[in-house]
Amino acid sequence: MQQFQSRYKSALTSERGDVPGWVLVVLMTTGLVTAIWTIAAPRLTSILKNSLDAMNGIR
């Protein structure tokens, strides 16, 4: 148990972290969001335009 506590404490106090891992996560997330946005943007624009046109028709 003592060994686990000392490893846990050293992991919490370590300032190095996993920088390459986080950089990879950020880059992959950015790539996915960009790809999805590129594909979905025309459809989302159409949905928004139709919704706004419908709201203008209510008045």
Side-chain angles (χ1 to χ4, degrees):
M1 186 68 170
Q2 183 66 23
Q3 184 183 11
F4 173 75
Q5 288 176 343
S6 65
R7 267 193 286 161
Y8 183 72
K9 184 178 178 182
S10 68
L12 286 178
T13 59
S14 173
E15 294 183 18
R16 184 169 178 267
D18 185 19
V19 174
W22 282 110
V23 170
L24 184 61
V25 167
V26 169
L27 289 176
M28 289 177 68
T29 303
T30 304
L32 282 172
V33 168
T34 303
I36 292 170
W37 188 262
T38 301
I39 294 168
R43 183 70 179 138
L44 291 173
T45 303
S46 171
I47 291 170
L48 179 61
K49 185 179 179 328
N50 291 340
S51 297
L52 291 173
D53 289 344
M55 292 303 292
N56 285 335
I58 291 175
R59 290 182 190 182

